[in-house]
Amino acid sequence: VAISQELSRLASHSPGPSTWIHQVRRRSSLLSSRLEEKPFSEMEMSYIKQGEEALQKSLRILEDQDDWKTETVAGNGDKVLSKVLPDVGKVFRLEVVVDQPLDTVYGELVDNMEQMGDWNPNVKEVRILEKIGKDTVITHEKAAATPGNIVGPRDFVSVRCSRRRGSTCVLAGMSTTYGAMPEQEGFIRAENGPTCMVLRPLPGSPSQTRLTWLLSIDLKGWLPKSIINQVLSQTQVDFAKHLRQRLARPVPAAC
């Protein structure tokens, strides 16, 4: 009831970036404290807490507006920025507007997560290994090799969590270990995180969604930083293009 009343109060305001981040962090912390009351195993709780840690770290990075440098600006306004963090390394931030309502974008990125390999050429496969509660999953992702095999096949094992607070959705994740998915032959086990995607309706236009994607990846192996930076920033630009194409496809008629 208290959260509902608070959300109603906030709905009458137009929060800026630092405000909505604070709101999500505060509500996420409240939810995390309540998780202790649920009958999760010790291992499940460790994964839930890892997902929460990824969310909190990601939002702290996004909250700091200083020192971001522009990497790429596309003709349609899509923008990739970057900054170097002492404890994380170089992180990339994609800022785009998608001509689809938030629920549609959220459904594609969360509910249809395992279909990402069907429309994003940079992803070979996404598989959910385990669901923990309704907000946390363990996934195995295989990245497609880059053209010319400049960056060979990589895979990731990640814990991901999703949070919806009012009109803001946050999808966060980071690398984890999972006994049933050891390193795979033919793939280099890379690491990601903290990473997150933030979805918010575009102010004054609820049929459009502002998407912010914070990307932090260690591809491992012997790769020059210049190549890594080029590949990661281009991956974000390509993602926005392919996501739009996916969301623009005709919806099959019901039988």
Side-chain angles (χ1 to χ4, degrees):
V1 172
I3 291 177
S4 177
Q5 292 173 346
E6 178 71 2
L7 287 175
S8 297
R9 186 185 69 79
L10 290 170
S12 63
H13 296 76
S14 298
S18 61
T19 304
W20 64 256
I21 286 176
H22 173 71
Q23 293 166 5
V24 173
R25 288 176 63 186
R26 183 176 61 181
R27 283 164 178 72
S28 185
S29 296
L30 175 62
L31 179 63
S32 180
S33 65
R34 305 284 282 188
L35 285 172
E36 301 290 348
E37 303 172 7
K38 296 187 178 295
F40 292 110
S41 69
E42 184 177 346
M43 181 61 71
E44 288 172 332
M45 280 303 304
S46 71
Y47 285 128
I48 290 173
K49 290 179 179 179
Q50 285 177 44
E52 181 67 26
E53 178 185 357
L55 184 145
Q56 297 293 341
K57 284 184 175 180
S58 297
L59 293 181
R60 281 197 293 271
I61 294 171
L62 292 177
E63 193 173 22
D64 185 355
Q65 299 294 308
D66 297 333
D67 301 324
W68 289 95
K69 298 180 180 180
T70 300
E71 292 277 341
T72 304
V73 179
N76 62 359
D78 291 358
K79 183 185 298 185
V80 177
L81 305 101
S82 69
K83 70 189 300 184
V84 178
L85 301 174
D87 300 331
V88 180
K90 192 164 187 176
V91 298
F92 296 83
R93 173 178 178 170
L94 173 72
E95 296 280 358
V96 302
V97 173
V98 181
D99 293 330
Q100 295 288 340
L102 185 147
D103 284 345
T104 301
V105 182
Y106 181 90
E108 191 63 56
L109 296 178
V110 178
D111 300 334
N112 299 332
M113 182 188 304
E114 291 185 300
Q115 299 177 23
M116 188 175 292
D118 296 340
W119 55 268
N120 187 348
N122 293 316
V123 176
K124 187 174 182 179
E125 180 185 55
V126 176
R127 184 158 62 96
I128 295 176
L129 303 175
E130 183 179 346
K131 292 184 178 181
I132 305 171
K134 66 175 184 177
D135 296 327
T136 305
V137 295
I138 309 298
T139 62
H140 180 233
E141 310 110 53
K142 293 180 179 178
T146 58
N149 205 34
I150 296 176
V151 179
R154 259 63 175 175
D155 74 340
F156 306 82
V157 173
S158 307
V159 56
R160 304 187 188 202
C161 71
S162 57
R163 297 282 189 271
R164 297 194 66 160
R165 296 293 173 269
S167 61
T168 299
C169 300
V170 182
L171 323 172
M174 64 188 299
S175 285
T176 190
T177 56
Y178 191 75
M181 184 54 68
E183 293 190 17
Q184 306 291 292
E185 184 176 354
F187 288 85
I188 294 177
R189 179 63 51 87
E191 294 182 358
N192 60 26
T195 76
C196 79
M197 290 187 182
V198 180
L199 309 176
R200 289 173 290 147
L202 191 68
S205 181
S207 63
Q208 295 179 294
T209 301
R210 180 176 297 281
L211 184 154
T212 300
W213 177 17
L214 176 70
L215 177 65
S216 170
I217 286 185
D218 182 354
L219 291 174
K220 302 298 184 179
W222 298 95
L223 293 170
K225 287 186 177 181
S226 58
I227 291 180
I228 293 175
N229 293 341
Q230 180 181 352
V231 167
L232 295 182
S233 61
Q234 187 61 46
T235 294
Q236 290 193 302
V237 172
D238 291 346
F239 170 82
K241 178 181 72 175
H242 297 306
L243 176 62
R244 289 191 179 98
Q245 293 173 348
R246 172 70 168 186
L247 295 175
R249 74 196 189 287
V251 178
C255 298

